[in-house]
Amino acid sequence: MKINLEQVTDRLAGHGEGPVWDAATGRLHWVDMLAGDMLSLDPGDGAVTRTPVSSVVCAIRPRRAGGLVLAVERGFALLDPDAEKPRILPELWPANSIRMNDGGCDPRGRFYCGSMATDDRPGAGKLYRLDADLSVTVVLDEVSISNGLAWSRDGGTAYYVDSGTQRIDLFTVDAAGELVDRRPFVTVPAEVGTPDGLCLDAEGGVWVALWDGGAVHRYGPDGSLDAVIPLPVARPTACAFGGPDLADLYITTSRPSADDPAPSGALFRARPGVTGFADWEFAG
Protein backbone atom coordinates (compact mmCIF):
# COMPACT_ATOMS: atom_id res chain seq x y z
CA MET A 1 0.00 0.00 0.00
CA LYS A 2 1.37 3.39 -1.02
CA ILE A 3 0.99 6.09 1.64
CA ASN A 4 1.12 9.64 0.32
CA LEU A 5 3.58 11.97 2.02
CA GLU A 6 3.73 15.75 1.84
CA GLN A 7 6.21 18.28 3.13
CA VAL A 8 4.33 20.67 5.41
CA THR A 9 7.00 23.24 6.32
CA ASP A 10 10.32 24.56 5.15
CA ARG A 11 13.51 23.37 6.84
CA LEU A 12 12.66 25.09 10.10
CA ALA A 13 14.50 22.90 12.59
CA GLY A 14 18.09 21.88 13.06
CA HIS A 15 17.00 18.91 15.15
CA GLY A 16 13.22 18.60 14.94
CA GLU A 17 11.72 16.24 17.52
CA GLY A 18 8.77 15.40 19.73
CA PRO A 19 5.57 16.16 17.77
CA VAL A 20 2.32 16.21 19.73
CA TRP A 21 -1.23 17.25 18.85
CA ASP A 22 -2.77 19.85 21.19
CA ALA A 23 -6.54 19.36 20.91
CA ALA A 24 -7.28 22.42 23.07
CA THR A 25 -5.64 24.77 20.57
CA GLY A 26 -5.98 22.71 17.38
CA ARG A 27 -2.23 22.94 16.80
CA LEU A 28 0.67 20.57 16.41
CA HIS A 29 3.66 21.33 18.63
CA TRP A 30 7.18 20.04 18.13
CA VAL A 31 10.67 21.16 19.13
CA ASP A 32 13.75 22.56 17.49
CA MET A 33 15.59 20.79 20.27
CA LEU A 34 19.10 22.21 20.32
CA ALA A 35 17.87 25.72 19.48
CA GLY A 36 15.66 25.56 22.59
CA ASP A 37 12.49 26.53 20.71
CA MET A 38 8.97 25.12 20.48
CA LEU A 39 7.38 25.21 17.02
CA SER A 40 3.58 25.26 16.62
CA LEU A 41 1.67 24.61 13.40
CA ASP A 42 -1.84 25.82 12.62
CA PRO A 43 -2.93 23.21 10.03
CA GLY A 44 -5.67 25.51 8.78
CA ASP A 45 -3.41 28.17 7.28
CA GLY A 46 -0.01 26.47 7.61
CA ALA A 47 1.35 29.22 9.87
CA VAL A 48 4.14 28.23 12.23
CA THR A 49 5.04 30.14 15.38
CA ARG A 50 8.32 29.78 17.24
CA THR A 51 8.42 30.09 21.04
CA PRO A 52 11.77 30.28 22.87
CA VAL A 53 11.76 27.93 25.87
CA SER A 54 15.26 27.30 27.23
CA SER A 55 18.76 26.42 26.09
CA VAL A 56 17.41 22.99 25.06
CA VAL A 57 13.80 21.77 24.85
CA CYS A 58 13.18 18.08 24.28
CA ALA A 59 9.55 17.01 24.65
CA ILE A 60 6.09 18.54 25.08
CA ARG A 61 2.69 17.34 26.28
CA PRO A 62 -0.60 19.17 26.93
CA ARG A 63 -1.80 19.69 30.51
CA ARG A 64 -5.32 18.81 31.62
CA ALA A 65 -5.79 22.28 33.11
CA GLY A 66 -4.49 23.97 29.95
CA GLY A 67 -1.02 24.89 28.83
CA LEU A 68 1.90 22.55 28.38
CA VAL A 69 4.49 20.54 30.27
CA LEU A 70 7.95 20.42 28.72
CA ALA A 71 11.22 18.62 29.21
CA VAL A 72 14.24 20.92 29.07
CA GLU A 73 17.95 20.19 29.20
CA ARG A 74 18.20 19.07 32.83
CA GLY A 75 14.61 18.74 33.97
CA PHE A 76 11.08 19.96 33.40
CA ALA A 77 9.11 23.16 32.80
CA LEU A 78 5.47 24.30 32.83
CA LEU A 79 3.90 26.75 30.39
CA ASP A 80 0.59 28.24 31.49
CA PRO A 81 -2.07 28.97 28.82
CA ASP A 82 -1.57 32.75 28.76
CA ALA A 83 2.09 32.89 29.74
CA GLU A 84 4.77 34.07 27.35
CA LYS A 85 7.56 32.19 29.10
CA PRO A 86 7.65 28.78 30.82
CA ARG A 87 8.37 28.24 34.48
CA ILE A 88 11.53 26.14 34.69
CA LEU A 89 11.39 23.62 37.55
CA PRO A 90 14.48 22.83 39.67
CA GLU A 91 17.25 21.07 37.76
CA LEU A 92 17.60 17.34 38.37
CA TRP A 93 21.37 17.26 37.91
CA PRO A 94 24.17 19.81 37.57
CA ALA A 95 25.50 20.94 34.22
CA ASN A 96 27.39 18.08 32.58
CA SER A 97 27.26 16.06 29.38
CA ILE A 98 23.75 14.63 30.02
CA ARG A 99 20.52 16.07 28.61
CA MET A 100 16.87 15.07 28.38
CA ASN A 101 15.71 13.58 25.09
CA ASP A 102 12.15 12.24 24.60
CA GLY A 103 9.07 11.23 26.56
CA GLY A 104 5.31 11.08 26.98
CA CYS A 105 2.41 10.96 29.45
CA ASP A 106 0.78 7.91 30.96
CA PRO A 107 -2.99 7.43 31.54
CA ARG A 108 -2.60 8.64 35.14
CA GLY A 109 -1.38 12.00 33.90
CA ARG A 110 2.29 11.59 34.76
CA PHE A 111 4.96 12.92 32.38
CA TYR A 112 7.97 10.72 31.63
CA CYS A 113 11.15 11.82 29.90
CA GLY A 114 14.45 10.02 29.46
CA SER A 115 17.97 11.34 29.22
CA MET A 116 21.11 10.53 27.26
CA ALA A 117 24.78 11.46 27.13
CA THR A 118 25.61 14.09 24.55
CA ASP A 119 28.56 11.94 23.47
CA ASP A 120 26.22 8.91 23.15
CA ARG A 121 28.13 6.84 25.71
CA PRO A 122 26.11 3.77 26.71
CA GLY A 123 24.19 3.54 29.97
CA ALA A 124 24.62 7.16 31.07
CA GLY A 125 20.93 8.12 30.94
CA LYS A 126 17.85 7.53 33.06
CA LEU A 127 14.08 7.57 32.57
CA TYR A 128 12.39 10.11 34.86
CA ARG A 129 8.74 10.59 35.84
CA LEU A 130 7.18 13.92 36.81
CA ASP A 131 4.05 13.49 38.93
CA ALA A 132 1.18 15.96 39.28
CA ASP A 133 2.61 17.26 42.58
CA LEU A 134 5.86 18.00 40.65
CA SER A 135 7.83 15.31 42.47
CA VAL A 136 10.29 13.39 40.29
CA THR A 137 11.04 9.65 40.33
CA VAL A 138 13.73 7.69 38.48
CA VAL A 139 11.94 4.85 36.68
CA LEU A 140 14.87 3.28 34.80
CA ASP A 141 18.64 3.47 35.23
CA GLU A 142 21.44 2.78 32.75
CA VAL A 143 19.60 3.97 29.66
CA SER A 144 21.69 4.82 26.61
CA ILE A 145 19.47 6.98 24.32
CA SER A 146 15.99 7.22 25.80
CA ASN A 147 13.54 7.79 22.96
CA GLY A 148 9.93 6.89 22.10
CA LEU A 149 7.52 6.08 24.92
CA ALA A 150 3.76 5.54 24.50
CA TRP A 151 0.92 3.70 26.23
CA SER A 152 -1.70 1.50 24.62
CA ARG A 153 -5.26 2.74 24.33
CA ASP A 154 -6.36 0.61 27.28
CA GLY A 155 -3.38 1.77 29.34
CA GLY A 156 -2.22 -1.77 30.06
CA THR A 157 0.96 -1.78 27.97
CA ALA A 158 3.75 0.72 27.38
CA TYR A 159 6.06 0.73 24.35
CA TYR A 160 9.60 2.06 24.84
CA VAL A 161 12.68 2.69 22.75
CA ASP A 162 16.20 2.88 24.12
CA SER A 163 17.88 3.45 20.77
CA GLY A 164 21.10 1.85 21.98
CA THR A 165 19.35 -1.52 22.08
CA GLN A 166 17.96 -1.33 18.48
CA ARG A 167 14.63 -2.48 19.98
CA ILE A 168 11.11 -1.46 20.76
CA ASP A 169 10.34 -2.99 24.14
CA LEU A 170 7.07 -3.70 25.94
CA PHE A 171 6.22 -3.10 29.57
CA THR A 172 3.18 -4.38 31.39
CA VAL A 173 1.52 -1.62 33.43
CA ASP A 174 0.60 -3.02 36.84
CA ALA A 175 -2.31 -2.04 39.10
CA ALA A 176 -0.28 0.80 40.60
CA GLY A 177 0.57 2.16 37.17
CA GLU A 178 4.20 1.04 37.35
CA LEU A 179 6.15 -0.33 34.36
CA VAL A 180 7.04 -4.00 34.94
CA ASP A 181 8.02 -7.11 32.97
CA ARG A 182 10.12 -5.46 30.27
CA ARG A 183 10.52 -7.61 27.15
CA PRO A 184 11.41 -7.17 23.47
CA PHE A 185 8.65 -6.39 20.98
CA VAL A 186 10.61 -5.65 17.77
CA THR A 187 14.33 -5.65 17.01
CA VAL A 188 15.25 -3.35 14.12
CA PRO A 189 18.28 -4.49 12.06
CA ALA A 190 21.03 -1.86 12.26
CA GLU A 191 21.30 -1.69 8.48
CA VAL A 192 17.63 -0.57 8.32
CA GLY A 193 18.11 2.32 10.76
CA THR A 194 17.88 3.06 14.46
CA PRO A 195 14.47 3.19 16.19
CA ASP A 196 13.72 6.67 17.52
CA GLY A 197 10.39 8.29 18.43
CA LEU A 198 7.14 6.34 18.17
CA CYS A 199 3.37 6.54 18.46
CA LEU A 200 0.44 4.12 18.41
CA ASP A 201 -2.67 4.02 16.26
CA ALA A 202 -6.23 3.12 17.25
CA GLU A 203 -5.82 -0.41 15.83
CA GLY A 204 -2.82 -1.23 18.02
CA GLY A 205 -0.17 -0.56 15.39
CA VAL A 206 3.17 0.94 16.40
CA TRP A 207 4.71 3.63 14.17
CA VAL A 208 8.41 4.31 14.69
CA ALA A 209 10.79 6.76 13.02
CA LEU A 210 14.08 5.22 11.85
CA TRP A 211 17.07 7.51 12.39
CA ASP A 212 19.54 7.10 9.51
CA GLY A 213 16.92 4.84 7.93
CA GLY A 214 14.96 7.44 5.97
CA ALA A 215 11.60 5.87 6.81
CA VAL A 216 8.80 5.35 9.30
CA HIS A 217 7.75 1.75 9.93
CA ARG A 218 4.44 0.40 11.21
CA TYR A 219 4.52 -2.80 13.21
CA GLY A 220 1.26 -4.63 13.81
CA PRO A 221 0.16 -5.77 17.28
CA ASP A 222 2.01 -9.05 16.68
CA GLY A 223 5.27 -7.25 15.83
CA SER A 224 5.13 -7.87 12.08
CA LEU A 225 6.21 -5.08 9.73
CA ASP A 226 3.15 -4.15 7.67
CA ALA A 227 3.71 -0.59 6.36
CA VAL A 228 6.68 1.58 5.38
CA ILE A 229 6.67 5.33 4.69
CA PRO A 230 9.88 6.32 2.86
CA LEU A 231 11.06 9.89 3.43
CA PRO A 232 13.32 12.10 1.31
CA VAL A 233 15.59 12.65 4.34
CA ALA A 234 17.89 10.29 6.21
CA ARG A 235 16.92 11.23 9.75
CA PRO A 236 13.25 11.16 10.68
CA THR A 237 13.10 11.49 14.45
CA ALA A 238 9.53 10.99 15.69
CA CYS A 239 5.89 10.76 14.63
CA ALA A 240 2.49 11.59 16.08
CA PHE A 241 -1.13 11.54 14.97
CA GLY A 242 -2.87 14.89 14.74
CA GLY A 243 -5.57 16.88 13.04
CA PRO A 244 -9.22 17.16 14.14
CA ASP A 245 -9.85 13.52 13.20
CA LEU A 246 -6.39 12.30 14.33
CA ALA A 247 -5.89 10.83 10.85
CA ASP A 248 -2.74 12.76 9.92
CA LEU A 249 0.62 11.25 10.83
CA TYR A 250 3.10 14.09 11.40
CA ILE A 251 6.81 13.28 11.13
CA THR A 252 9.67 15.43 12.43
CA THR A 253 13.16 15.32 10.95
CA SER A 254 16.73 16.33 11.78
CA ARG A 255 19.27 18.13 9.62
CA PRO A 256 22.69 16.37 9.53
CA SER A 257 24.42 19.56 8.39
CA ALA A 258 23.56 23.06 7.20
CA ASP A 259 24.51 22.19 3.62
CA ASP A 260 22.48 18.97 3.44
CA PRO A 261 20.59 19.26 0.10
CA ALA A 262 17.61 17.21 1.31
CA PRO A 263 14.63 18.91 3.00
CA SER A 264 15.89 17.71 6.38
CA GLY A 265 14.60 19.73 9.32
CA ALA A 266 11.17 20.04 7.68
CA LEU A 267 7.90 18.69 9.06
CA PHE A 268 6.12 16.05 6.96
CA ARG A 269 2.57 14.67 6.99
CA ALA A 270 1.09 11.38 5.79
CA ARG A 271 -2.44 9.96 5.68
CA PRO A 272 -1.83 6.29 6.48
CA GLY A 273 -5.47 5.14 6.48
CA VAL A 274 -5.68 4.60 10.24
CA THR A 275 -6.28 7.08 13.04
CA GLY A 276 -4.53 7.70 16.29
CA PHE A 277 -6.14 8.36 19.65
CA ALA A 278 -5.87 11.34 21.98
CA ASP A 279 -2.57 11.70 23.83
CA TRP A 280 -2.66 11.40 27.58
CA GLU A 281 -2.29 14.79 29.26
CA PHE A 282 -0.22 15.88 32.25
CA ALA A 283 -2.28 16.19 35.44
CA GLY A 284 -0.14 18.89 37.06
Side-chain angles (χ1 to χ4, degrees), residues 64-128:
R64 290 178 184 170
L68 303 168
V69 60
L70 309 100
V72 292
E73 186 172 9
R74 293 186 290 277
F76 299 101
L78 300 175
L79 182 63
D80 293 326
D82 299 321
E84 293 184 1
K85 296 182 179 180
R87 172 164 60 102
I88 308 296
L89 301 181
E91 292 185 346
L92 301 179
W93 61 86
N96 58 14
S97 58
I98 306 292
R99 66 162 171 82
M100 287 292 202
N101 196 51
D102 196 6
C105 280
D106 73 4
R108 295 175 180 237
R110 303 176 296 185
F111 182 47
Y112 293 68
C113 195
S115 63
M116 60 172 284
T118 55
D119 61 3
D120 294 341
R121 68 184 183 277
K126 302 177 188 293
L127 179 64
Y128 297 88

Side-chain angles (χ1 to χ4, degrees), residues 7-191:
Q7 182 178 333
V8 179
T9 72
D10 293 331
R11 303 171 68 198
L12 297 179
H15 184 51
E17 265 281 13
V20 64
W21 180 251
D22 184 351
T25 63
R27 291 172 174 252
L28 183 91
H29 304 301
W30 74 108
V31 302
D32 188 353
M33 182 184 284
L34 303 182
D37 294 340
M38 178 178 74
L39 302 174
S40 301
L41 170 74
D42 182 340
D45 61 12
V48 176
T49 57
R50 181 180 287 266
T51 304
V53 174
S54 185
S55 58
V56 173
V57 58
C58 306
I60 307 167
R61 286 296 183 272
R63 294 163 66 186
R64 290 178 184 170
L68 303 168
V69 60
L70 309 100
V72 292
E73 186 172 9
R74 293 186 290 277
F76 299 101
L78 300 175
L79 182 63
D80 293 326
D82 299 321
E84 293 184 1
K85 296 182 179 180
R87 172 164 60 102
I88 308 296
L89 301 181
E91 292 185 346
L92 301 179
W93 61 86
N96 58 14
S97 58
I98 306 292
R99 66 162 171 82
M100 287 292 202
N101 196 51
D102 196 6
C105 280
D106 73 4
R108 295 175 180 237
R110 303 176 296 185
F111 182 47
Y112 293 68
C113 195
S115 63
M116 60 172 284
T118 55
D119 61 3
D120 294 341
R121 68 184 183 277
K126 302 177 188 293
L127 179 64
Y128 297 88
R129 188 187 73 217
L130 178 70
D131 284 19
D133 63 1
L134 305 187
S135 62
V136 178
T137 301
V138 175
V139 177
L140 291 177
D141 286 300
E142 297 185 2
V143 173
S144 293
I145 304 176
S146 192
N147 261 310
L149 178 61
W151 279 257
S152 61
R153 198 172 192 177
D154 65 7
T157 304
Y159 296 77
Y160 177 60
V161 170
D162 177 354
S163 294
T165 67
Q166 287 290 137
R167 295 194 315 265
I168 304 170
D169 285 346
L170 298 179
F171 287 95
T172 296
V173 181
D174 71 12
E178 302 300 318
L179 305 182
V180 298
D181 187 24
R182 182 176 181 175
R183 63 229 186 248
F185 172 62
V186 167
T187 298
V188 177
E191 62 271 19

